[in-house]
Amino acid sequence: MRRIPVKTEAMTVMLIQAPEKKVKNRETGEIAIDKQSGKVQYNVNVAVVVDGRPDAVTVVVTEDGVQPDLVPGMPVALPGLVATPWENDFGHGISFKATAVMAAQVPAAANGKG
């Protein structure tokens, strides 16, 4: 499938909850592993705000890309964000993956200073 780069400059992204290991099989509890790197994958639930309208989105990030001190509600950056359309017998949609999730640099005017 085609991977489509996502530009995040025109959006605000805020962490909804702490990143959690992605479960591949809910019955067995098997954790998802990235096929290329062999590293554990994490689900990162974020609110993406564009033109004042928020949407909840789950982004997959490998364990080495998750900043350890993230807290819900903080603005975050998602470098290398890509969207991948998918389809199977049960439906279709778009999955999101980023190389990292980290605290975003908030401009001075936005944080009340300056």
Side-chain angles (χ1 to χ4, degrees):
M1 282 260 140
R2 172 97 170 126
R3 295 176 60 157
I4 304 163
V6 178
K7 290 189 173 197
T8 58
E9 292 82 12
M11 61 180 75
T12 300
V13 183
M14 293 185 349
L15 190 66
I16 294 174
Q17 67 184 48
E20 297 179 342
K21 289 181 182 177
K22 181 178 178 182
V23 177
K24 180 178 180 178
N25 183 322
R26 292 176 194 237
E27 290 180 16
T28 66
E30 179 184 3
I31 301 299
I33 304 294
D34 183 76
K35 292 176 184 171
Q36 293 177 336
S37 69
K39 296 179 180 173
V40 172
Q41 293 182 320
Y42 277 73
N43 282 331
V44 180
N45 295 312
V46 296
V48 176
V49 183
V50 178
D51 295 330
R53 296 188 332 218
D55 283 305
V57 175
T58 299
V59 179
V60 175
V61 177
T62 56
E63 61 189 319
D64 59 341
V66 177
Q67 182 177 320
D69 57 349
L70 299 174
V71 293
M74 75 184 321
V76 293
L78 298 166
L81 183 62
V82 294
T84 304
W86 61 268
E87 183 176 0
N88 61 28
D89 292 340
F90 305 107
H92 61 277
I94 299 172
S95 62
F96 295 93
K97 190 171 186 178
T99 56
V101 57
M102 60 187 65
Q105 299 296 327
V106 180
N111 68 13
K113 297 178 184 174

